[in-house]
Amino acid sequence: MRKYIRFFVVYTLFILLGGEKLMAKEDEAPCAIIPYPQSCEARGFVFNLTDKTGIVYGDTTGEIAYFLQKELLRSVGMALPIYTETERQSGGGGTVRLQLLSMQEKNTLSKESYTIEMSDKEVLIEASHLHGLFYGVTSFLQIVRTTEKKEGRISLPCYRIEDAPLYAWRGFMLDESRHFFGKEKVKQLLDWMAFYKFNRFHWHLTDAPGWRIEIKKYPKLAYIGGIGNHSNAFTPARYYTQEEIKEVVAYAKERFIEIVPEIDMPGHASAANRAYPEFSGGGSARFPEFTFHPGKNETYGYLMDILKEVDALFPSQFIHIGGDEVHFGNEKWKEDQQVKALMEKENLKDLKEVEIYFLRRMADSVRVLNNKVLAWDEVSSYRLPKENTIVCYWRSPFPDQLQRSIDEDYPLILCPNHVLYLDYRQDSIHTFGHNLKVINDLSKIYLFSPSVLPVKFKKDSKIVGIQGNLWTEWIQTDSRLDFMTFPRISAVAETAWNRPESKNIEAYYNRLKKHLPLYKQEGVYYFNPFDKHENSEPRR
């Protein structure tokens, strides 16, 4: 009976309002948006998007209107005019209106929330802040791009959407030290990150294989440290100039994404030490020249000079300083006279305390630059200032590190490697990649929540957000990067945006099927979980 009442209401509204009716099956998700909105209600009508449709914006929303205009032209070939509120003239093409709420209304809503109200005459995208308005625009773009274009128009199903994210940090990390991909590939990733409402791009720019960022004061870091990669130590130097960094930062900003650079220390420093060996702390047989020298004051001045330039290039006010796996190559510290002198002067009893001293000193340098420090979970016991430090939990086999971070009240970004590392295999049919015993498939990523971790969270635990990480030891080409990222990036987006209790994996799969054609349209070499042999696994 309820179904017939619903049909009668929708049909009556259709007759009374003169709109076009859209009938949907009861068991279908109303819209194909990823990540799925907190509330999405089908309205029963369609809005016809054509070249005559106008985009209307207010005093402070012009840049987002221009972004929407550009994206519609690029993705669906529609060139819509844009108008201010005072310029808009009446016409028969309908309106897409971008609107910020009043100051009083702003105070009651989060800056990333938004609503979309669609009718047959107008699409109203409304938010309290520009961030939320941008996310409303990206949801609208998803509706457009998952709807077929016919005879020059796209008949969009109408919805009422209310939405806001679960986590403030929705991140994706790309390692470009081990293999370098370049700014055009990074821009493409930023496009998809924006499409899926990510807001942090963690850029791993330095590591043992290569140094990928120009530093004016120390040019050999790029010219010499940029030589080689994980597969071939003798490839010509590849790195980002500072002008290229600025270009990528501006591109990300337009998409409301902040870039967080990582300058790895005191380990993973081999590339830097090739360029400036006077600051090397040595290494091991397997990891030569792996560390920065902790016993030389000059080392700290050198790294501070680097961080000053990094700070000037990246306005996010976050710098990741690594802090992981130092023990891989710190054995020469034992016999170094300057390290011994440091230990005696600072009353450091072992090499672990030397490592802690180094990281605390460099964390202070980051703080002096008015940046927050990010570091891997090894630092959870290093007594870094809690008000200025965010710990990235990555080691699934060591939940005690996470428990320590929780107990110490550190803000946390969750990126456990046995769930959210995208360089791990995504299906049992794949034969190449890191740690073949672990498969991080779509369902594992989609269903992940903090509650599955073997730790005890407190009511006031500071979980800042979720991040997917892509390390590139086993990724040399664009096609393999795509294959490992897509479609799993969409599952990371769902986990970072939606509450666990609201998830429905079958509905997610149904929505994802409508996104696979978008990957193909953009030339992305993706893995198809519904037809596993459509695209074979690239080996490089």
Side-chain angles (χ1 to χ4, degrees):
M1 177 64 70
R2 186 177 299 169
K3 183 186 296 186
Y4 294 109
I5 293 172
R6 179 175 178 270
F7 171 81
F8 177 76
V9 170
V10 171
Y11 182 75
T12 302
L13 286 171
F14 165 66
I15 296 298
L16 292 175
L17 298 177
E20 295 187 51
K21 179 176 55 174
L22 177 76
M23 297 305 295
K25 294 180 181 178
E26 288 284 332
D27 58 351
E28 288 182 349
C31 55
I33 295 173
I34 295 176
Y36 197 67
Q38 302 301 318
S39 171
C40 182
E41 177 187 352
R43 286 307 208 196
F45 305 101
V46 298
F47 175 87
N48 287 315
L49 186 72
T50 72
D51 285 339
K52 294 181 180 179
T53 302
I55 300 171
V56 178
Y57 65 95
D59 292 340
T60 60
T61 59
E63 289 187 6
I64 297 178
Y66 180 50
F67 176 83
L68 174 57
Q69 184 188 43
K70 288 190 299 182
E71 282 299 296
L72 288 171
L73 179 60
R74 185 191 67 82
S75 62
V76 296
M78 285 188 167
L80 274 60
I82 62 175
Y83 307 91
T84 65
E85 291 282 359
T86 55
E87 291 171 337
R88 176 59 172 154
Q89 299 177 357
S90 61
T95 299
V96 178
R97 186 180 302 277
L98 311 183
Q99 184 168 297
L100 287 179
L101 297 170
S102 67
M103 186 59 67
Q104 183 177 359
E105 292 169 307
K106 280 185 179 183
N107 295 332
T108 64
L109 298 170
S110 74
K111 75 173 187 178
E112 294 188 308
S113 64
Y114 69 91
T115 62
I116 301 177
E117 184 70 69
M118 302 176 68
S119 71
D120 60 329
K121 299 294 190 300
E122 180 179 79
V123 176
L124 175 62
I125 304 173
E126 200 169 38
S128 61
H129 294 76
L130 292 176
H131 291 76
L133 194 67
F134 181 81
Y135 299 136
V137 163
T138 58
S139 285
F140 175 68
L141 282 167
Q142 287 197 27
I143 296 170
V144 171
R145 294 189 63 186
T146 55
T147 306
E148 187 179 0
K149 182 180 181 181
K150 292 182 179 180
E151 299 179 351
R153 72 176 185 177
I154 303 177
S155 297
L156 303 176
C158 290
Y159 304 108
R160 162 73 184 178
I161 294 172
E162 296 181 1
D163 202 10
L166 174 60
Y167 291 115
W169 186 290
R170 303 178 300 281
F172 181 86
M173 190 219 76
L174 176 65
D175 163 27
E176 282 204 89
S177 172
R178 290 172 175 84
H179 289 103
F180 184 87
F181 297 93
K183 68 177 182 179
E184 295 308 317
K185 192 61 183 177
V186 168
K187 285 181 178 180
Q188 186 189 43
L189 282 172
L190 290 169
D191 284 337
W192 286 106
M193 288 176 63
F195 195 66
Y196 289 134
K197 302 185 180 71
F198 287 84
N199 62 357
R200 299 288 192 277
F201 177 49
H202 175 176
W203 209 355
H204 190 80
L205 289 165
T206 75
D207 210 305
W211 184 280
R212 307 301 182 197
I213 177 172
E214 177 190 21
I215 301 298
K216 298 285 190 182
K217 190 166 185 176
Y218 299 99
K220 289 190 290 184
L221 284 170
Y223 299 153
I224 296 175
I227 295 172
N229 58 40
H230 184 78
S231 304
N232 183 346
F234 303 103
T235 58
R238 299 195 69 186
Y239 60 90
Y240 290 100
T241 67
Q242 293 199 359
E243 290 307 308
E244 288 174 320
I245 292 285
K246 293 173 187 175
E247 181 183 339
V248 174
V249 167
Y251 194 85
K253 182 181 178 183
E254 185 183 23
R255 287 151 182 78
F256 288 80
I257 296 170
E258 292 184 329
I259 300 183
V260 180
E262 181 176 353
I263 307 298
D264 216 338
M265 60 181 77
H268 296 276
S270 306
N273 290 337
R274 289 197 302 272
Y276 293 94
E278 61 267 37
F279 302 114
S280 175
S284 62
R286 185 179 175 189
F287 302 98
E289 306 305 324
F290 189 71
T291 64
F292 290 116
H293 200 298
K296 293 182 178 180
N297 275 325
E298 296 86 351
T299 302
Y300 300 97
Y302 164 66
L303 291 172
M304 183 58 163
D305 288 339
I306 291 170
L307 292 177
K308 284 179 180 177
E309 293 195 30
V310 170
D311 174 52
L313 291 169
F314 295 95
S316 66
Q317 301 304 110
F318 295 103
I319 296 178
H320 199 300
I321 60 172
D324 62 317
E325 300 174 333
V326 181
H327 66 281
F328 284 6
N330 67 350
E331 61 187 47
K332 291 191 176 180
W333 292 2
K334 296 177 186 177
E335 306 303 324
D336 188 281
Q337 293 303 313
Q338 288 173 292
V339 175
K340 288 182 178 180
L342 173 69
M343 294 176 72
E344 183 175 353
K345 178 183 176 183
E346 300 293 336
N347 194 28
L348 307 175
K349 65 183 180 182
D350 55 27
L351 296 188
K352 174 57 71 174
E353 291 204 355
V354 174
E355 179 184 331
I356 293 171
Y357 170 86
F358 179 100
L359 283 163
R360 294 189 74 187
R361 187 164 172 176
M362 292 313 305
D364 284 345
S365 297
V366 174
R367 179 183 57 79
V368 166
L369 295 173
N370 195 32
N371 280 249
K372 284 192 178 295
V373 175
L374 280 82
W376 300 112
D377 62 44
E378 283 91 336
V379 307
S380 62
S381 59
Y382 291 4
R383 305 183 303 279
L384 299 183
K386 298 168 190 175
E387 68 278 4
N388 200 59
T389 305
I390 300 175
V391 173
C392 300
Y393 171 66
W394 72 278
R395 294 182 296 169
S396 294
F398 298 97
D400 57 306
Q401 291 296 109
L402 175 59
Q403 189 65 62
R404 184 176 290 111
S405 298
I406 295 167
D407 295 342
E408 293 292 331
D409 292 322
Y410 279 110
L412 287 163
I413 295 169
L414 302 179
C415 47
N417 58 335
H418 288 183
V419 182
L420 292 171
Y421 272 31
L422 304 188
D423 48 306
Y424 284 44
R425 289 192 303 162
Q426 55 194 319
D427 194 273
S428 59
I429 69 169
H430 300 147
T431 59
F432 190 62
H434 183 75
N435 194 342
L436 298 181
K437 294 180 181 179
V438 178
I439 295 175
N440 290 343
D441 61 16
L442 274 179
S443 62
K444 183 193 284 190
I445 296 170
Y446 177 83
L447 295 172
F448 172 74
S449 73
S451 64
V452 306
L453 297 169
V455 294
K456 293 182 179 179
F457 286 98
K458 299 185 289 187
K459 287 184 178 180
D460 58 349
S461 291
K462 302 178 180 68
I463 302 177
V464 179
I466 300 289
Q467 182 168 290
N469 293 344
L470 186 65
W471 301 97
T472 60
E473 289 95 330
W474 295 271
I475 301 174
Q476 300 181 41
T477 64
D478 286 3
S479 59
R480 182 161 177 82
L481 187 153
D482 288 350
F483 191 82
M484 302 304 285
T485 304
F486 298 90
R488 288 190 291 183
I489 190 173
S490 69
V492 178
E494 289 273 352
T495 295
W497 189 272
N498 282 318
R499 298 185 181 280
E501 61 271 19
S502 68
K503 291 181 178 179
N504 180 323
I505 194 164
E506 292 304 322
Y508 162 67
Y509 288 150
N510 288 334
R511 286 179 283 124
L512 179 60
K513 288 174 184 177
K514 295 185 178 182
H515 284 239
L516 299 186
L518 305 183
Y519 302 156
K520 185 177 292 186
Q521 175 185 327
E522 299 287 342
V524 171
Y525 191 85
Y526 60 93
F527 170 61
N528 186 345
F530 311 111
D531 181 2
K532 297 180 181 182
H533 299 285
E534 178 186 351
N535 292 324
S536 59
E537 179 188 15
R539 297 284 295 178
R540 301 193 311 113

